[in-house]
Amino acid sequence: MMGELIARNLLHRPLRTLIGAMGIAVEVTLVVIIVGLTSGLLTETAKRIEGIGADIMLQPSNASYLLALGGAPMPIKIGDKLAEMKYVQSVAPMLFQFNTSGVEIVYGIDPESFRAVSGGFVFLQGHDLEGPDDILVDDIAAKVKKIHAGETYRIFEHDWHVAGIVEHGKGSRLFVPLTTLQELVGARDKASVFFLKCTRPEHTEDVMEKMHHDFSGYTVRPLKDLMSMYTSTNIPGLQSFINAMILLAVTIGLLVIFLTMYTTVIERTKDIGVLKSLGANHWFVIRALLSESAALCVLGIGAGIGLSYLVRAGFIWKFPTLTILITSGWVLRAAGIALLGALFGASYPAWLASRKDPVEALSYD
């Protein structure tokens, strides 16, 4: 009986039901997409840095594990001392420069040392860096920017010759000669980070211990722990932003449910009077309205999950460099948040309906 009553009530005003469900859907989509976007970008960035293939990285003392916030560059001669250490197979110095026009980090590399640490690029077009004005672009950035090998690409007020298109996953999406970038940004004989490849992975701890002793004023990090560092809780202000967006989404869902159920109670005043005159107590009325809001919420959650995947597909189609990670854990969490918000939003209208006097309700016009 209860199920039939809920179904009939939802179908009685299909437009209102649709609007209520879409409000919940927007709530779920906001939570899933905001969290998916932040976690996806962090995870993808960490994977690309790990894709370099190094075991350890040496940074300045004030450097963040976010390589874009690397602090003041270090003397490149440090690389020679690192290369002389026991169990160190190869060292690759790199200089990072933020490209504001493309919102990306450009890596200045020495092709030979980078190849020794990473194993080299997989070329889809063209060849490796040879001239001082050469640039390598990964396949995703090349697709977005519509760049092909042999063309000219301008960044940092400098014209670069696109030497090759490489497979993504080796740190940056743009690579230029280290010495050229040093001259352009005024960091001659400087490096933002040194990536080290050990002779064997099990020697990593020994090398790090030696580095801590010999380079006590610098930051030494193992790359195997990088993925665990790239989380929203470790990024200043990011978790607060996510929480604010979730609160906004919950507020939207709560208001939609509250208004939907409040207008439902006003509209069905006589129906409530009939139910009470037939012996329905106030708990029955409350349960009926809360069950109806829960059913409406379930419809909205289903629509929200579908809308989340649709929005992700649209973002990726328009911005292929974006990564939106939708996980089952956050889908369930968003659904739980929406359901609790819906029940909370419907609690006052349900209580209001249960308090109505049957005689007054039947005479309501």
Side-chain angles (χ1 to χ4, degrees), residues 284-349:
F284 181 88
V285 175
I286 290 175
R287 186 160 59 92
L289 287 172
L290 290 182
S291 298
E292 184 176 334
S293 66
L296 185 63
C297 186
V298 169
L299 292 175
I301 289 171
I305 294 172
L307 185 60
S308 298
Y309 282 98
L310 185 63
V311 169
R312 183 181 71 168
F315 268 112
I316 293 176
W317 174 76
K318 186 67 176 177
F319 308 102
T321 56
L322 285 181
T323 300
I324 301 178
L325 184 63
I326 296 180
T327 63
S328 58
W330 265 105
V331 168
L332 291 175
R333 206 172 301 179
I337 291 171
L339 184 58
L340 290 175
L343 294 177
F344 181 76
S347 58
Y348 176 73

Side-chain angles (χ1 to χ4, degrees), residues 123-352:
F123 285 87
L124 306 178
Q125 295 180 30
H127 54 78
D128 208 343
L129 298 174
E130 295 177 355
D133 297 323
D134 283 350
I135 186 172
L136 298 178
V137 183
D138 84 350
D139 51 345
I140 296 178
K143 180 181 177 181
V144 174
K145 302 174 187 295
K146 297 180 173 56
I147 298 175
H148 298 89
E151 295 180 348
T152 299
Y153 183 60
R154 186 173 180 82
I155 54 171
F156 306 137
E157 300 299 321
H158 186 84
D159 290 328
W160 302 86
H161 169 257
V162 181
I165 306 299
V166 300
E167 192 175 86
H168 65 275
K170 294 285 187 179
S172 179
R173 300 199 184 280
L174 301 174
F175 303 86
V176 299
L178 175 60
T179 53
T180 305
L181 188 60
Q182 287 171 337
E183 293 293 331
L184 285 175
V185 302
R188 182 178 295 181
D189 296 328
K190 300 287 185 179
S192 302
V193 66
F194 292 92
F195 285 100
L196 284 74
K197 184 77 173 178
C198 298
T199 52
R200 300 185 66 175
E202 52 265 34
H203 293 151
T204 301
E205 294 297 330
D206 295 330
V207 174
M208 287 183 61
E209 185 177 348
K210 178 65 173 174
M211 289 174 66
H212 281 300
H213 179 268
D214 293 352
F215 300 91
S216 57
Y218 296 87
T219 302
V220 180
R221 300 185 196 275
L223 262 72
K224 64 181 178 63
D225 295 338
L226 198 64
M227 191 68 73
S228 62
M229 296 179 185
Y230 274 68
T231 61
S232 59
T233 54
N234 288 332
I235 311 299
L238 183 57
Q239 190 60 48
S240 298
F241 169 76
I242 293 174
N243 292 337
M245 291 297 101
I246 291 176
L247 180 61
L248 174 63
V250 170
T251 302
I252 292 172
L254 191 148
L255 288 176
V256 167
I257 284 292
F258 176 82
L259 290 174
T260 299
M261 300 313 296
Y262 186 80
T263 55
T264 296
V265 169
I266 298 299
E267 183 186 81
R268 295 178 190 162
T269 298
K270 281 191 175 182
D271 296 341
I272 293 169
V274 170
L275 286 173
K276 286 202 161 189
S277 66
L278 292 174
N281 58 25
H282 67 284
W283 289 115
F284 181 88
V285 175
I286 290 175
R287 186 160 59 92
L289 287 172
L290 290 182
S291 298
E292 184 176 334
S293 66
L296 185 63
C297 186
V298 169
L299 292 175
I301 289 171
I305 294 172
L307 185 60
S308 298
Y309 282 98
L310 185 63
V311 169
R312 183 181 71 168
F315 268 112
I316 293 176
W317 174 76
K318 186 67 176 177
F319 308 102
T321 56
L322 285 181
T323 300
I324 301 178
L325 184 63
I326 296 180
T327 63
S328 58
W330 265 105
V331 168
L332 291 175
R333 206 172 301 179
I337 291 171
L339 184 58
L340 290 175
L343 294 177
F344 181 76
S347 58
Y348 176 73
W351 176 83
L352 189 66

